[in-house]
Amino acid sequence: MDIHDLLDHCDWAEAAAAISLYENISKIPSPANRDLPLHVSLRNKAPTSLLMTLIESYPEAVDLPSSSSNEFPLSLALQHLDDPPSDLLLRLATPASSKGVSSFGETPLFAAISKKSPTTVVSQLLSLNPSAAGVPDEMDQFPLHEAVAVKADEALIRALYDAYP
């Protein structure tokens, strides 16, 4: 089995062993769709420890959109992981990834607000891409509207308003 098969079958222990044994395995795109192991792992809700190992072994992957959906790992994490930890989201948040859009038409800023991510994560995304405050989702809702709807922290609501009044 190659790394992608292990990840598709959610064999996390074997995948972790393969990553530790083979130096460049995290850089090998899937023969099926050209996605990297990080993309496949995020879609399959891999454990945070495995995701962090993949990022450590190939840090540049956080700035590479998946070939199959053209989504950055940050968007994939916000879309597929039930409760992504702040440290993972902060590792995935870069100037490039903060400008991505999910298959649902959401910026990472909007998605993080929707998921009620910690204020530190949302603030970092706003800092990396302030213009995202002015980008509506597919239903023409702005991040400020979503922040009010999910009863976000008042300081965050103020920061969104200041970024896009």
Side-chain angles (χ1 to χ4, degrees):
M1 268 199 206
D2 74 2
I3 185 68
H4 299 92
D5 290 333
L6 295 172
L7 297 170
D8 280 333
H9 290 98
C10 302
D11 192 344
W12 310 131
E14 288 296 320
I19 294 163
S20 68
L21 284 174
Y22 302 105
E23 184 177 327
N24 291 319
I25 201 165
S26 300
K27 299 178 182 180
I28 300 172
S30 165
N33 60 17
R34 308 295 300 156
D35 283 349
L36 293 171
L38 181 59
H39 303 127
V40 176
S41 298
L42 287 162
R43 275 196 199 93
N44 290 323
K45 302 180 180 197
T48 302
S49 59
L50 181 66
L51 295 168
M52 294 299 249
T53 299
L54 284 165
I55 294 166
E56 288 168 17
S57 66
Y58 187 29
E60 295 86 357
V62 302
D63 281 329
L64 300 174
S66 74
S67 293
S68 62
S69 66
N70 202 32
E71 293 175 276
F72 286 93
L74 176 60
S75 291
L76 292 171
L78 289 163
Q79 182 178 344
H80 294 284
L81 301 180
D82 295 327
D83 190 19
S86 295
D87 59 335
L88 174 64
L89 293 176
L90 292 171
R91 288 286 302 271
L92 295 171
T94 67
S97 69
S98 69
K99 291 175 177 65
V101 177
S102 75
S103 59
F104 298 118
E106 295 177 343
T107 64
L109 176 66
F110 194 101
I113 293 166
S114 293
K115 282 200 119 131
K116 299 181 181 179
S117 295
T119 302
T120 55
V121 171
V122 178
S123 296
Q124 177 67 12
L125 292 172
L126 185 58
S127 153
L128 288 168
N129 185 13
S131 65
V135 178
D137 69 352
E138 289 182 334
M139 297 182 352
D140 289 328
Q141 296 294 307
F142 288 89
L144 177 61
H145 300 141
E146 186 67 10
V148 171
V150 300
K151 298 178 174 59
D153 178 76
E154 189 176 320
L156 175 61
I157 292 171
R158 170 56 67 189
L160 288 166
Y161 179 80
D162 289 345
Y164 188 76

